[in-house]
Amino acid sequence: MILKPKAAEHFTDLHGGNGSVAISRHLDPHDVKGLDLFAKVVIEKGGSIGYHEHLDDSEGYYILSGQADFIDADGEYRPVGPHDLCLITKGESHGIVNTGESKLVFLAVVF
């Protein structure tokens, strides 16, 4: 199976964050059993995805480029950059803030 990215969806202040976020999905929820999202996410300079809880699923962010603070399940801000994997599990919360001088780009997987 090969899935091409869909047109990017643009969000402002996602989950109470700040600024612009573009999400390019490769699949829709329930296209693949056990995988609800596989997408490229781009957060503009100074933008963020607000701290939010995952009640029914887990999520990983694999950072491709840029610098950020990942807000972990304990509410701590942890610096991340290319090749870091940020992971939260069912029942945990997280968020991310672009702290770099350019766009933050990562892959998001919800399972």
Side-chain angles (χ1 to χ4, degrees):
M1 175 186 307
I2 297 173
L3 300 169
K4 303 286 186 178
K6 298 172 186 342
E9 296 175 77
H10 296 272
F11 301 90
T12 302
D13 305 335
L14 188 60
H15 294 297
N18 296 307
S20 176
V21 177
I23 300 177
S24 302
R25 298 172 186 266
H26 278 72
L27 54 87
D28 290 317
H30 312 296
D31 281 350
V32 176
K33 186 177 180 177
L35 185 60
D36 289 340
L37 174 75
F38 187 97
K40 182 175 100 175
V41 179
V42 179
I43 301 177
E44 295 295 327
K45 179 180 174 181
S48 64
I49 296 174
Y51 196 70
H52 61 283
E53 187 174 18
H54 282 257
L55 294 173
D56 299 317
D57 51 31
S58 300
E59 184 170 21
Y61 293 165
Y62 182 79
I63 310 299
L64 297 171
S65 63
Q67 300 295 319
D69 280 341
F70 180 75
I71 311 166
D72 213 338
D74 59 7
E76 293 291 323
Y77 285 66
R78 303 183 190 285
V80 295
H83 311 293
D84 287 337
L85 175 61
C86 310
L87 185 64
I88 59 97
T89 57
K90 184 177 176 178
E92 293 183 336
S93 299
H94 70 134
I96 195 163
V97 179
N98 181 348
T99 59
E101 294 300 315
S102 61
K103 295 177 182 180
L104 173 66
V105 181
F106 59 90
L107 296 177
V109 179
V110 175
F111 55 98

